[in-house]
Amino acid sequence: MAGLRRWPSMLLLVVLGTATASEFQVPLVSQQESLNAESTIAKPLVNTSDLQASIKIENLVQHAKDLFILAQLSEPEFGHPTRVIGSDGHGGTLEYIYSAIELLGDYYTISTQPFPAVMGKVYESRLVIGHEVPESASPMSLTPPTAHKEPVYGKLVLVAGEGCDASDYPANVTGNIAFVLRGTCPFGTKSELAGKAGAVAAIIYNHDSGELSGTLGNPTSSHVATFGLSGKDAGPVVERLKAGETVDAIAYIDSQVKQIETRNIIAQTVEGDPDNCVMLGAHSDSVSEGPGINDDGSGSLTLLEVATQLTNFSVNNCVRFAWWAGEEEGLLGSDYYVEVLPEEENLKIRLFMDYDMMGSPNFAYQVYNATNAVNPVGSEQLRDLYVDWYKSQGLNYTFIPFDGRSDYDAFIRNGIPGGGIATGAEGVKTKEEEAMFGGKAGEWYDPCYHQLCDDVGNVNSTAWLLNTKLVAHSVATYAVSFDGFPERSSVAASNYNDKPTKYHGHRLIL
């Protein structure tokens, strides 16, 4: 199988259009014949030690370098490397992953799943309240622009309660700017109600001193240009409004929200019990601000490397790999996949494992605290598999909330046990964690999170390699047997759909 290691670089040339068909075809014929010959030879049943030993950091890093080059395809449109959905960089990423799996021969069946997606981009924004420009003002993701993409002027009108009912919006909000407290209902609902009440813009302010950045979610025709504002900046304004003072404001957003088509990639082993599937996923897209090599190039490439090395083995249970599109826009790909999944197919997925950000530079070894008490039964057993592995390696770990911030969300809401690991995003490392994992307390786990500097140099090789071995361990364990793992039942399919959460993806929704 040594020839497989030459494929990614040749694949990159083809994706970039710099290799001719004849240049690409000659080596692939011999490699494919080699694969077909190997497929006729009985392979050993996968075992965790051998699969882990096959994972090499050199392979992961070479993939990462290729991914960054693909992100550069977006420079003409965006002015910098990115793999956001709808960009040439993301299109190249999908082609790269699909081709790499396809060239593994008949070990996998591979398919794409097209779906409609919404992407938004804010080109420019400004908010003035009175004579002040609040530093915390931030346009909501998927906000429409202000009328004609020009500044709008109006008085701030304090909305009653938390702005979740049409009756909360007074008549004088028409032609003015709604000032709405965060809470109870999603930001999109507040923006829609403000629009229906005739407001020219809306400002949603936090109930504590912190900044507020979120998403309006699925666009509606009634949404208005909407900003988030910290409680610190909003506090004095609320006091003035409650005292009966008039506060003028100017809001300006130049943005675009449009619908595109993108696609998920699904690869499943041909062998293995199709009624008992191990499923794992990572997202193939980045934010528009940068190339996303850690977020989530690291997870996507971990899956690709494990999928490649798994071809050396046989499996008892089917293994299904998924590369989701549109995670950064609100878990669009994974939501769509589960939404259209028939119940009988849902029940064939014994568990779903999410791998997002495997190598943050200021890392902590994080395990989602998925308990059976509030999640589909089996989630806690998966959590404990990760814990036991870290302990067996003599490593520390820490639990993080299982709160809807990544692609596991749709699975647990539809009765499928879930979990995963991560290494940290914009959270701040504590002194205790510095002692446990090294790095630097007081700084983000990933100082380049959602920024242009999330490039190849932003990924910590030690954490990435170690966590990829843990991913291999999780795959090998359940590909062999689900002995002792809770059975699925049709009753569970609807029990968790109403689980409340503040997040849907990395953005706040309420």
Side-chain angles (χ1 to χ4, degrees):
M1 303 289 279
L4 293 178
R5 297 275 54 84
R6 294 196 297 272
W7 289 0
S9 295
M10 183 60 77
L11 280 169
L12 181 62
L13 294 178
V14 173
V15 171
L16 295 175
T18 55
T20 66
S22 60
E23 287 173 331
F24 193 48
Q25 189 175 6
V26 172
L28 284 186
V29 171
S30 60
Q31 289 166 359
Q32 190 65 56
E33 288 174 349
S34 175
L35 264 180
N36 291 338
E38 289 177 14
S39 67
T40 65
I41 302 172
K43 297 176 180 179
L45 181 64
V46 65
N47 69 83
T48 183
S49 58
D50 287 348
L51 187 57
Q52 289 182 60
S54 69
I55 304 300
K56 306 297 181 188
I57 189 61
E58 295 83 0
N59 299 338
L60 294 167
V61 171
Q62 182 57 57
H63 282 309
K65 291 177 179 178
D66 290 348
L67 211 59
F68 182 78
I69 293 172
L70 294 173
Q72 291 177 310
L73 294 174
S74 301
E75 288 181 346
E77 180 180 0
F78 290 84
H80 59 263
T82 181
R83 298 181 304 104
V84 67
I85 58 169
S87 69
D88 289 343
H90 187 241
T93 299
L94 293 175
E95 186 174 345
Y96 184 88
I97 293 168
Y98 188 95
S99 298
I101 297 296
E102 190 174 44
L103 290 171
L104 295 173
D106 59 1
Y107 191 87
Y108 295 101
T109 58
I110 182 170
S111 62
T112 61
Q113 184 185 44
F115 64 93
V118 176
M119 66 176 297
K121 186 175 182 180
V122 176
Y123 299 97
E124 194 175 14
S125 68
R126 187 174 179 86
L127 179 65
V128 180
I129 298 178
H131 300 291
E132 304 292 330
V133 178
E135 291 185 4
S136 69
S138 174
M140 290 279 179
S141 174
L142 299 180
T143 178
T146 46
H148 310 297
K149 299 184 178 181
E150 296 288 343
V152 293
Y153 305 81
K155 296 179 174 60
L156 288 187
V157 176
L158 191 62
V159 171
E162 293 175 331
C164 296
D165 190 274
S167 61
D168 294 334
Y169 293 78
N172 65 336
V173 80
T174 302
N176 288 309
I177 297 172
F179 206 56
V180 192
L181 176 63
R182 170 192 179 189
T184 303
C185 61
F187 301 137
T189 301
K190 298 172 191 288
S191 180
E192 183 175 19
L193 289 172
K196 288 180 176 179
V200 296
I203 302 168
I204 302 173
Y205 63 92
N206 210 350
H207 45 56
D208 56 37
S209 63
E211 296 183 1
L212 183 60
S213 176
T215 181
L216 300 186
N218 290 330
T220 75
S221 59
S222 298
H223 280 168
V224 291
T226 303
F227 285 88
L229 191 68
S230 72
K232 179 180 178 182
D233 285 336
V237 178
V238 172
E239 290 182 6
R240 291 173 62 189
L241 292 173
K242 286 183 175 179
E245 292 186 37
T246 297
V247 180
D248 295 317
I250 304 171
Y252 165 59
I253 295 177
D254 179 5
S255 65
Q256 181 185 46
V257 179
K258 63 179 181 179
Q259 183 166 303
I260 63 169
E261 183 177 273
T262 187
R263 60 194 190 274
N264 298 321
I265 297 175
I266 311 295
Q268 181 171 314
T269 55
V270 173
E271 292 186 345
D273 182 357
D275 292 331
N276 288 281
C277 254
V278 184
M279 189 167 186
L280 61 160
H283 66 88
S284 60
D285 61 314
S286 73
V287 293
S288 62
E289 289 83 357
I293 302 303
N294 185 38
D295 182 17
D296 184 30
S298 61
S300 286
L301 298 179
T302 284
L303 261 65
L304 186 58
E305 180 64 9
V306 172
T308 299
Q309 301 305 333
L310 186 61
T311 62
N312 293 296
F313 304 93
S314 64
V315 295
N316 291 334
N317 297 315
C318 83
V319 182
R320 186 181 302 168
F321 295 85
W323 288 268
W324 311 117
E327 189 270 357
E328 297 291 6
E329 307 302 323
L331 314 183
L332 303 182
S334 54
D335 278 357
Y336 181 81
Y337 178 85
V338 178
E339 179 185 348
V340 301
L341 196 65
E343 183 175 355
E344 62 270 21
E345 293 301 319
N346 174 308
L347 292 170
K348 293 176 183 179
I349 303 172
R350 295 295 301 275
L351 79 169
F352 174 75
M353 303 179 289
D354 184 71
Y355 297 120
D356 193 352
M357 302 183 67
M358 296 291 98
S360 298
N362 194 27
F363 68 87
Y365 294 129
Q366 300 177 337
V367 179
Y368 289 122
N369 192 17
T371 63
N372 289 342
V374 292
N375 296 289
V377 174
S379 300
E380 191 165 326
Q381 282 80 357
L382 175 59
R383 182 200 70 175
D384 292 346
L385 176 137
Y386 299 130
V387 168
D388 291 344
W389 189 87
Y390 281 128
K391 287 180 176 178
S392 74
Q393 304 297 310
L395 296 168
N396 293 313
Y397 64 91
T398 186
F399 287 132
I400 57 173
F402 202 43
D403 57 3
R405 287 197 60 167
S406 197
D407 286 305
Y408 55 79
D409 188 60
F411 289 86
I412 62 172
R413 288 180 179 277
N414 287 274
I416 300 170
I421 57 172
T423 52
E426 82 281 24
V428 176
K429 177 171 275 188
T430 66
K431 280 286 188 183
E432 181 183 10
E433 289 174 329
E434 181 183 68
M436 294 169 67
F437 307 108
K440 190 170 182 180
E443 294 189 359
W444 284 9
Y445 301 108
D446 185 352
C448 289
Y449 176 66
H450 286 182
Q451 298 173 61
L452 184 58
C453 56
D454 186 8
D455 53 23
V456 178
N458 187 51
V459 187
N460 183 286
S461 295
T462 299
W464 194 11
L465 176 61
L466 187 133
N467 277 330
T468 302
K469 288 178 180 288
L470 176 48
V471 173
H473 171 64
S474 67
V475 169
T477 298
Y478 296 118
V480 171
S481 175
F482 279 110
D483 287 350
F485 196 87
E487 295 284 344
R488 291 290 312 281
S489 78
S490 57
V491 176
S494 61
N495 285 352
Y496 302 89
N497 201 39
D498 296 325
K499 181 181 176 182
T501 179
K502 294 181 180 179
Y503 288 93
H504 193 62
H506 67 91
R507 300 184 194 276
L508 284 165
I509 58 173
L510 61 80

